[in-house]
Amino acid sequence: MSTPVLQKHYTDKVAPALKEKLGYANPHQIPRLEKIVVTSCMGKSPDRKVAVDDAVAEIGKITGQKPSITFSKKAVANFKLREGEPLGARVTLRGARMWEFLHRFINITTPNIRDFRGISPKNFDGRGNYAVGFADQSIFPEIELDQIKRNIGFDVIFVTSAKTDDEGRALLAELGLPFRDIKKAEATEGAAA
């Protein structure tokens, strides 16, 4: 099996650029993408069991890997939720599948978003990992629009080996994740007001 395009781009261009930019002497210090987690929760759906099955099918189409079902850890009476009831679906991508998903996400999925001006660079967790959420699955090209039964929201989490948010942001930006320019966005909002 051949090396995915984005993985080759990382080893040839991104890693040396990050090594120089961040001033690392040891190549093992260079931040790298470890895994991508795609997750969805159907907590509010009245027909939760059917909704979870739909989420499993949709995530499977999007990622090319069968997701695992997540279950509730405790009962919550206000949400009519019992312990051990299916709540959502999650898949963890590593290796070649991770690189291929990221390539499709950057080059095909994000340009499909209506009025897309970039994703927010603020959604980092303090340790270099980045999460972005989407309201429905129609932005993914693998989904046939006439087959959609319900809107399913997704979270896509990029887990990196970076120690800080700045290192994680530098890694993801070098890989081509289309971050919105915060200063430019604030300037246009200030001019419009």
Side-chain angles (χ1 to χ4, degrees), residues 2-16 32-33 36 95-108 158 171-178:
S2 65
T3 306
V5 175
L6 208 55
Q7 185 176 9
K8 191 169 182 347
H9 174 68
Y10 172 79
T11 51
D12 294 346
K13 304 244 170 65
V14 175
R32 65 189 177 284
L33 190 62
I36 297 175
R97 275 209 179 116
M98 172 189 73
W99 289 108
E100 287 167 6
F101 176 81
L102 182 61
H103 184 73
R104 284 194 323 266
F105 180 79
I106 292 169
N107 297 308
I108 299 169
F158 301 94
L171 167 67
L172 294 174
E174 286 285 335
L175 284 171
L177 219 60

Side-chain angles (χ1 to χ4, degrees), residues 29-106:
Q29 291 177 301
I30 300 169
R32 65 189 177 284
L33 190 62
E34 293 184 338
K35 62 185 174 181
I36 297 175
V37 181
V38 180
T39 181
S40 180
C41 184
M42 298 286 116
K44 293 181 181 176
S45 297
D47 56 341
R48 200 175 294 124
K49 199 168 199 119
V50 177
V52 168
D53 292 341
D54 291 344
V56 166
E58 300 289 324
I59 291 176
K61 285 181 195 171
I62 290 166
T63 61
Q65 185 171 313
K66 188 171 192 273
S68 60
I69 296 175
T70 56
F71 297 94
S72 62
K73 292 185 175 144
K74 58 184 177 182
V76 180
N78 288 345
F79 298 117
K80 297 183 176 127
L81 181 67
R82 294 189 177 124
E83 185 177 345
E85 199 171 327
L87 264 185
R90 173 182 64 211
V91 71
T92 303
L93 301 170
R94 290 186 173 89
R97 275 209 179 116
M98 172 189 73
W99 289 108
E100 287 167 6
F101 176 81
L102 182 61
H103 184 73
R104 284 194 323 266
F105 180 79
I106 292 169

Side-chain angles (χ1 to χ4, degrees), residues 92-156:
T92 303
L93 301 170
R94 290 186 173 89
R97 275 209 179 116
M98 172 189 73
W99 289 108
E100 287 167 6
F101 176 81
L102 182 61
H103 184 73
R104 284 194 323 266
F105 180 79
I106 292 169
N107 297 308
I108 299 169
T109 302
T110 51
N112 270 348
I113 301 171
R114 189 180 311 158
D115 298 331
F116 183 68
R117 291 186 181 95
I119 54 178
S120 173
K122 296 181 179 180
N123 299 343
F124 282 87
D125 68 348
R127 284 177 258 142
N129 303 318
Y130 181 74
V132 62
F134 298 101
D136 68 353
Q137 71 273 33
S138 64
I139 62 166
F140 293 97
E142 295 86 0
I143 303 298
E144 296 174 29
L145 296 177
D146 57 342
Q147 300 292 321
I148 295 176
K149 296 178 190 168
R150 73 182 79 231
N151 282 345
I152 299 171
F154 291 98
D155 288 327
V156 180

